[in-house]
Amino acid sequence: GEWVGLELTDARGVHDGNVMGIPYFECPAAKGVFAQPAQLSASGAITASAPAVAPVAAATVAAPTALASDADEVETLPSKEKTADGSAWLGQQVMWKGKQGVVRYIGDVRFAAGEWVGLELTDGKGVHDGNVMGVPYFECPAGKGVFAEPARLTGSSAAPARAGAPTAVAGITPEDAEVETLPSREKSADGSVRLGQQVIWKGKQGVVRYIGEVRFAAGEWIGVEMLEANGVHDGTVLGVPYFKCSSAKGIFAKQEQLQNALTMA
């Protein structure tokens, strides 16, 4: 559907116009939000300027039923009490990639298919505050929230990890634990981008680490490890490990957003 990207002037947003490495528009950090047109009311005409960033196709997601103002209580989506197989429940302490957390949400999400578990991490760094792309699933401090599939969690009676899924063990840090990433293609569908290739994204250099489908949007995506810390993740997005790189060095982009670094030299 159609979405509207906003730069908030008197309230706290959730991003800087860049969501999961996709630059929709530019604004100061934590001032950007997305909403559907029906959720907005006009407060006076504003003359639009030419967009600073070329628009790209967005993932198909739905939106919360209402936008809360600063004075309103944020209404989160209803959560299930426990997972479908009963292995995880609200309030349970679990381990995810060597980090301890508490289950705050269980149910369907609007960025991927299937059942997901929202966690508030207690001893590690997450990626959000329970609000993902403008949808409030639960509330926690900024940078403490993550989403994971039930099979990727361990803990008191938590579901065992399925074959091929990364596991977490108490006392092992993410740096020490070996994380199994999803399999990548060797090259893009048209053969123009390949693993290990040096590319340019938004004027900055990086190396291709993943090519293939992702769970947060449709189509083929390219995972890039940036040479400097100007990315947004470590190769793991919403609990799914696509590739491994240092924190804040990973981005995802569509093929047309990248340029071959060798031809730019």
Side-chain angles (χ1 to χ4, degrees):
E2 183 178 57
W3 287 75
V4 179
L6 305 177
E7 176 182 347
L8 299 180
T9 56
D10 58 359
R12 187 176 184 278
V14 293
H15 54 70
D16 61 357
N18 186 309
V19 179
M20 296 182 190
I22 308 173
Y24 296 97
F25 61 95
E26 294 178 338
C27 70
K31 284 287 187 178
V33 297
F34 275 99
Q36 291 183 311
Q39 295 177 289
L40 305 176
S41 60
S43 61
I46 298 176
T47 301
S49 59
V53 181
V56 294
T60 300
V61 293
T65 57
L67 287 178
S69 67
D70 287 344
D72 294 332
E73 185 71 20
V74 175
E75 183 176 350
T76 57
L77 296 187
S79 170
K80 299 175 183 177
E81 288 296 320
K82 59 183 179 180
T83 55
D85 63 0
S87 62
W89 54 89
L90 288 179
Q92 181 186 10
Q93 292 192 358
V94 296
M95 297 296 293
W96 172 77
K97 293 179 65 178
K99 304 174 184 178
Q100 188 170 4
V102 179
V103 175
R104 299 298 189 201
Y105 176 86
I106 300 170
D108 296 332
V109 293
R110 296 175 179 176
F111 53 79
E115 184 178 60
W116 288 75
V117 178
L119 306 177
E120 177 182 346
L121 298 182
T122 56
D123 62 355
K125 188 175 185 299
V127 294
H128 55 70
D129 61 357
N131 186 309
V132 178
M133 300 181 77
V135 183
Y137 296 97
F138 61 96
E139 293 181 84
C140 71
K144 285 289 186 178
V146 298
F147 273 97
E149 292 175 298
R152 298 178 187 274
L153 306 175
T154 60
S156 177
S157 301
R162 65 175 181 273
T167 58
V169 181
I172 298 181
T173 65
E175 290 76 21
D176 296 330
E178 184 66 24
V179 176
E180 183 174 348
T181 57
L182 296 187
S184 170
R185 298 172 184 162
E186 289 296 319
K187 58 184 179 181
S188 59
D190 67 356
S192 64
V193 179
R194 63 186 183 281
L195 285 180
Q197 180 179 346
Q198 292 190 357
V199 294
I200 302 293
W201 175 75
K202 295 180 67 176
K204 300 164 185 176
Q205 191 168 353
V207 179
V208 175
R209 299 301 189 198
Y210 177 87
I211 301 171
E213 278 73 35
V214 294
R215 298 183 185 178
F216 55 80
E220 183 180 66
W221 289 77
I222 313 295
V224 179
E225 177 181 359
M226 307 303 293
L227 298 189
E228 298 181 3
N230 41 34
V232 293
H233 53 70
D234 61 359
T236 294
V237 177
L238 298 171
V240 181
Y242 297 97
F243 61 97
K244 291 185 285 185
C245 69
S246 300
S247 179
K249 285 199 172 184
I251 63 106
F252 273 97
K254 299 294 284 184
Q255 178 183 321
E256 56 268 23
Q257 294 177 294
L258 303 174
Q259 296 170 299
N260 190 328
L262 299 180
T263 62
M264 297 291 292

